[in-house]
Amino acid sequence: EYSADNGAGSQNTFKYTYEGAKYDHDRRMTLGFEKIKKEEIYPNNPNHYYSQTFFHQTFPLAGLVTLAERGIDPAFSNVLERTKNTWLVHYFPWNASVYGFDTGKSVRPYLATQDVTDFHVNGDPINRVTQTQMSVDPYGNPLQTKIEYRNQYNLIEYVVDDIKTYLNDVTHWHFGLPKTQKVTHAPFLSNTKAVTQETEYEYDTKGRLHKKILEPNSATEKLIQTIDYNLFGNPIKETT
């Protein structure tokens, strides 16, 4: 518990409780708490705000948030915001002939889906946003991300589809650098047409962004931005 000045001559108070600590004896590591609860007390507000956050407690997902809720009811029967996360683990082998050390497996957790819903005080939904990682490349970078925006009736209003490719240079250890990107905004509940923007990225041998090309396949809308660096790696010039 702690209190902090709120700038209005009084203090806001925050109380925390922790539940379900877990320890992995085989790996000799803590797996964190199962749940953390927080109470927010504001002197000029009759409502107290309560939040609770649940975490994974299994390796290699330990410490990652599975569910987070915030509301004005300590029993959380009605919440103002709820976030649900689904995590997956990407395994990829290291090739000793390429990397120069023993083969093995590395793990990289990634957020597969995230569902965020806002509610009125009476519990009726306001809106909902769902983000989904459709696929990942061999290094765990998201190749396609889809975001759905829904209204209070759970109808999709529009969708954002983000498709990427990456530069994964094993020689220079440059991983996860976006190479191409195609973002499409597609409305569902209006007569507005879908809008798509394409971008290409180029890098120097040190992995620094050297060139960004907007609409590379358009004769009329193509825009090229180049970035120059000094000896210390700081950008000193941008040309469009």
Side-chain angles (χ1 to χ4, degrees):
E1 176 181 333
Y2 75 94
S3 298
D5 292 333
N6 57 19
S10 56
Q11 290 189 325
N12 301 331
T13 301
F14 306 92
K15 299 180 179 180
Y16 294 84
T17 57
Y18 303 84
E19 301 178 14
K22 195 173 182 181
Y23 186 82
D24 188 332
H25 291 277
D26 294 333
R27 292 186 173 87
R28 299 182 180 181
M29 61 179 288
T30 178
L31 298 175
F33 293 98
E34 178 186 16
K35 179 169 64 172
I36 298 177
K37 298 180 70 174
K38 176 183 178 183
E39 180 182 0
E40 306 169 31
I41 303 172
Y42 302 97
N44 297 321
N45 189 335
N47 294 320
H48 291 193
Y49 290 91
Y50 301 87
S51 60
Q52 60 179 0
T53 306
F54 294 83
F55 301 88
H56 268 293
Q57 289 188 296
T58 55
F59 180 83
L61 301 177
L64 298 177
V65 175
T66 60
L67 174 66
E69 296 179 319
R70 186 171 186 265
I72 57 175
D73 176 12
F76 294 95
S77 56
N78 286 334
V79 299
L80 300 178
E81 180 180 332
R82 177 182 292 122
T83 301
K84 295 180 179 180
N85 296 328
T86 302
W87 298 87
L88 294 178
V89 179
H90 178 73
Y91 294 88
F92 53 94
W94 293 105
N95 190 326
S97 63
V98 175
Y99 299 103
F101 51 81
D102 255 347
T103 58
K105 281 190 175 181
S106 293
V107 296
R108 181 175 181 179
Y110 67 94
L111 186 60
T113 61
Q114 182 178 72
D115 193 287
V116 180
T117 307
D118 295 319
F119 299 90
H120 292 286
V121 176
N122 64 1
D124 293 336
I126 301 174
N127 53 55
R128 178 183 173 192
V129 180
T130 303
Q131 175 177 302
T132 305
Q133 303 284 5
M134 307 297 291
S135 59
V136 297
D137 72 3
Y139 297 92
N141 302 304
L143 294 173
Q144 183 178 9
T145 302
K146 182 173 289 187
I147 306 175
E148 296 179 343
Y149 295 83
R150 299 173 182 266
N151 59 20
Q152 66 269 33
Y153 306 108
N154 204 33
L155 299 176
I156 298 176
E157 291 189 331
Y158 67 97
V159 174
V160 177
D161 195 14
D162 188 350
I163 300 174
K164 293 179 181 177
T165 63
Y166 295 87
L167 172 65
N168 295 303
D169 185 346
V170 299
T171 301
H172 298 94
W173 282 82
H174 299 156
F175 297 99
L177 300 177
K179 190 175 181 180
T180 64
Q181 183 176 23
K182 182 178 180 180
V183 181
T184 301
H185 294 254
F188 270 64
L189 299 182
S190 68
N191 295 323
T192 307
K193 294 182 179 180
V195 177
T196 299
Q197 182 179 68
E198 296 186 46
T199 309
E200 291 182 357
Y201 304 90
E202 296 180 8
Y203 303 87
D204 61 19
T205 56
K206 295 183 179 181
R208 300 173 301 194
L209 180 62
H210 172 63
K211 185 179 293 185
K212 179 179 179 181
I213 308 172
L214 296 175
E215 303 299 345
N217 301 313
S218 173
T220 58
E221 299 179 356
K222 184 176 181 178
L223 184 66
I224 301 176
Q225 178 186 29
T226 58
I227 304 173
D228 296 321
Y229 301 84
N230 62 15
L231 294 176
F232 301 98
N234 301 310
I236 58 173
K237 183 180 179 181
E238 292 187 8
T239 306
T240 302

